[in-house]
């Protein structure tokens, strides 16, 4: 009987391993979304959680440590990256202040709320307030130290999102390099990332490249549509979209600083569905194409040409249109959803228009490869059931004779 139990256990383990690898239990584990709150008509965090859950999105980034959100997201399967506002960096350089901040803003909510990362500031390396840069790395180190004191450093990474403008060269990708004026502090920051295994986050928007030079930048190339792409003359790598080229440019820039193996993720990328007259390309069709194609690539769990076997983690910008954001019209129109939880446009995420009906929504965009592997998993499950039944009946037969 003991041998029979062992056999059954082995069969179940094999099935679980197979289904995990071939998509029976696995979703798009790398896709996240930015949940901004610069609006006066946004839904309550509880409804936002319902929306994310119905869409099967399990990663989100917020731009503060809003206690309402952290409380509402408790005991859910949504992983959160929270943010330290830029104006707090000078204060959090002090290790004692950092410990107090972590004790107040992180520890009371963890682990019920699945906080997986802290973004210290946003685009500090290229901020117009250049005094912030001197505070960045000390604040990052102090916050990480506070996490370590509380035993949380192995669960929560510390990093900072960067604008692509931190690069002085990005084309071709192999020419990627950081601006010389930030190289000293960048080296310190990369050393921290290397030692803690935290990712380098980049806010990358191919939309801006197209908007600035629509006559030179092919629209299909920036939208992930079928196109001839470009070949890096030095690496001979082929790129069929600008986002992956931008990410690889960052990887090359990091390598030029003497660091290798640091993961690069996309903390923000998106496309506006509406813009001013001079914002070329800001329209619904382009926004839908860009985000739909990113979803399609994420279903493949693919990497960039330089790191094809390392899944690229991407956070779409943004969940909602935010009516109080300053700047041009495009700034208020990056959302996949309106504040009432209706879709701005379809990107392969099916949701009913009624906010009360979002529980029936789901990610419906499925590549043919996903359908095939799911069918393979189903066939495999049937085989395992048959095999288990065969073991049982054979054992019973042997006992009778």
């Amino acid at each position: 009987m003991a041998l029979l139990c062992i056999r059954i256990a082995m069969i179940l383990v094999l099935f679980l391993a197979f289904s995990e690898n071939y998509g029976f239990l696995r979703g798009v584990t790398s896709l996240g979304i930015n949940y901004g709150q610069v609006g006066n008509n946004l839904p309550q965090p509880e409804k936002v959680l319902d929306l994310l859950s119905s869409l099967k999105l399990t990663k989100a980034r917020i731009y503060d440590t809003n206690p309402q959100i952290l409380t509402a997201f408790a005991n859910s399967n949504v992983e959160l990256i929270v943010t330290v506002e830029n104006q707090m960096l000078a204060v959090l350089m002090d290790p004692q202040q950092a410990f107090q901040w972590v004790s107040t803003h992180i520890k009371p909510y963890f682990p019920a709320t699945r906080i997986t990362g802290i973004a210290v500031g946003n685009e500090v390396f290229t901020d117009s307030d250049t005094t912030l840069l001197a505070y960045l790395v000390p604040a990052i180190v102090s916050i990480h130290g506070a996490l370590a004191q509380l035993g949380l450093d192995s669960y929560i990474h510390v990093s900072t999102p960067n604008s692509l403008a931190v690069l002085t060269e990005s084309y071709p990708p192999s020419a990627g390099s950081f601006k010389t004026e930030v190289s000293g502090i960048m080296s310190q920051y990369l050393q921290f990332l290397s030692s803690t295994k935290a990712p380098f986050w980049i806010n990358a928007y191919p939309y801006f490249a197209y908007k600035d030079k629509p006559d030179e930048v092919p629209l299909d190339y920036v939208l992930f549509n079928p196109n001839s792409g470009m070949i890096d003359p030095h690496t001979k790598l082929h790129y069929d979209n600008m986002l992956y080229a931008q990410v690889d440019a960052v990887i090359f820039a990091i390598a030029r600083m003497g660091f290798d193996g640091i993961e690069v993720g996309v903390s923000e990328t998106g496309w506006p569905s509406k813009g001013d007259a001079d914002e070329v390309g800001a329209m619904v069709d382009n926004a839908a194409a860009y985000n739909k194609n990113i979803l399609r690539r994420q279903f493949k769990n693919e990497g960039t040409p330089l790191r094809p076997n390392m899944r690229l983690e991407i956070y779409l910008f943004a969940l909602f249109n935010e009516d109080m954001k300053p700047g041009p019209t495009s700034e208020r129109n990056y959302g996949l959803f309106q504040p009432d939880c209706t879709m701005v446009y379809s990107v392969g995420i099916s949701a009913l228009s009624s906010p009360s009906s979002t529980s029936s929504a789901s990610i419906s965009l499925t590549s043919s490869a996903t359908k095939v592997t799911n069918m393979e998993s189903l066939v495999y499950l049937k085989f395992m059931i048959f095999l288990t039944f065969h073991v049982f009946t054979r054992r019973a037969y042997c006992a009778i004779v």
Side-chain angles (χ1 to χ4, degrees):
M1 189 63 184
L3 182 59
L4 174 61
C5 292
I6 292 173
R7 287 177 177 175
I8 294 172
M10 289 177 65
I11 289 170
L12 290 174
V13 168
L14 285 170
F15 168 66
L16 289 172
F18 181 93
S19 59
E20 179 69 21
N21 288 331
Y22 285 89
F24 194 77
L25 302 177
R26 186 184 64 194
V28 185
T29 57
S30 56
L31 180 65
I33 195 145
N34 285 276
Y35 168 19
Q37 306 153 59
V38 189
N40 60 10
N41 55 356
L42 297 175
Q44 291 298 307
E46 292 80 6
K47 288 192 174 182
V48 175
L49 177 60
D50 288 341
L51 178 62
L52 294 178
S53 299
S54 68
L55 299 171
K56 295 179 171 52
L57 292 175
T58 59
K59 293 186 179 183
R61 174 186 170 217
I62 59 176
Y63 292 83
D64 53 20
T65 52
N66 186 326
Q68 286 184 293
I69 295 176
L70 295 182
T71 300
F73 279 49
N75 304 309
S76 72
N77 68 337
V78 177
E79 299 177 1
L80 276 180
I81 294 177
V82 300
T83 302
V84 175
E85 297 90 335
N86 285 4
Q87 62 267 26
M88 287 295 297
L89 298 185
V91 174
L92 297 181
M93 289 175 60
D94 181 348
Q96 289 185 331
Q97 292 289 339
F99 183 85
Q100 181 62 36
W101 185 89
V102 172
S103 298
T104 303
H105 293 81
I106 304 297
K107 189 175 184 294
Y109 304 99
F110 184 89
T113 301
R114 300 180 64 186
I115 301 171
T116 59
I118 299 175
V120 181
N122 188 50
E123 299 188 348
V124 176
F125 277 98
T126 52
D127 197 281
S128 57
D129 183 357
T130 56
T131 61
L132 290 174
L133 192 53
Y135 310 143
L136 179 61
V137 174
I140 287 175
V141 171
S142 293
I143 290 171
H144 181 264
L147 289 171
Q149 282 183 265
L150 295 168
L152 303 178
D153 56 309
S154 60
Y155 305 101
I156 303 172
H157 76 258
V158 184
S159 187
T160 188
N162 300 280
S163 165
L164 198 70
V166 76
L167 298 180
T168 186
E169 293 287 346
S170 62
Y171 182 85
S174 60
S177 56
F178 292 114
K179 292 181 175 178
T180 55
E181 57 265 35
V182 301
S183 60
I185 295 177
M186 181 61 73
S187 181
Q188 297 172 30
Y189 171 56
L190 294 175
Q191 181 61 58
F192 171 84
L193 296 183
S194 180
S195 63
T196 62
K197 309 302 181 186
F200 184 106
W201 290 113
I202 189 76
N203 297 339
Y205 289 87
Y207 160 71
F208 292 124
Y210 177 76
K211 178 182 74 73
D212 293 341
K213 297 180 179 180
D215 295 330
E216 299 179 26
V217 178
L219 181 60
D220 285 335
Y221 180 63
V222 293
L223 291 180
F224 286 81
N225 285 334
N227 67 96
S228 58
M230 60 84 67
I231 295 177
D232 189 304
H234 304 293
T235 63
K236 307 303 179 185
L237 292 173
H238 177 259
Y239 293 85
D240 65 357
N241 69 86
M242 182 176 284
L243 180 65
Y244 287 8
Q246 291 174 335
V247 170
D248 279 356
V250 173
I251 297 173
F252 273 107
I254 292 172
R256 278 193 168 80
M257 297 289 291
F259 297 90
D260 189 26
I262 294 175
E263 179 184 358
V264 175
V266 179
S267 41
E268 289 182 16
T269 193
W271 197 287
S273 59
K274 186 187 297 184
D276 295 322
D278 61 344
E279 295 187 288
V280 181
M283 61 182 66
V284 167
D285 288 349
N286 290 342
Y290 184 76
N291 287 312
K292 181 182 293 185
N293 286 332
I294 284 182
L295 277 170
R296 184 176 292 115
R297 296 300 185 98
Q298 288 283 282
F299 267 103
K300 297 178 181 178
N301 284 321
E302 68 182 17
T304 66
L306 187 59
R307 291 178 173 174
N309 298 319
M310 180 179 288
R311 184 186 62 223
L312 177 63
E313 188 159 359
I314 295 176
Y315 282 72
L316 292 180
F317 187 88
L319 185 57
F320 297 110
N321 281 340
E322 300 168 64
D323 65 346
M324 295 180 67
K325 292 196 72 174
T329 298
S330 62
E331 286 296 314
R332 295 175 288 282
N333 288 279
Y334 274 91
L336 299 182
F337 289 86
Q338 301 285 7
D340 64 358
C341 295
T342 58
M343 289 187 295
V344 177
Y345 48 83
S346 176
V347 294
I349 297 178
S350 63
L352 299 182
S353 58
S354 171
S356 62
S357 302
T358 56
S359 61
S360 64
S362 63
I363 292 180
S364 61
L365 177 64
T366 309
S367 68
S368 59
T370 304
K371 292 177 180 176
V372 169
T373 54
N374 283 346
M375 180 60 69
E376 290 172 348
S377 296
L378 189 58
V379 171
Y380 189 82
L381 174 60
K382 290 179 179 178
F383 174 72
M384 288 296 99
I385 293 172
F386 166 78
L387 189 57
T388 304
F389 177 77
H390 177 70
V391 170
F392 267 115
T393 54
R394 184 171 179 268
R395 185 74 176 182
Y397 174 78
C398 290
I400 293 172
V401 299

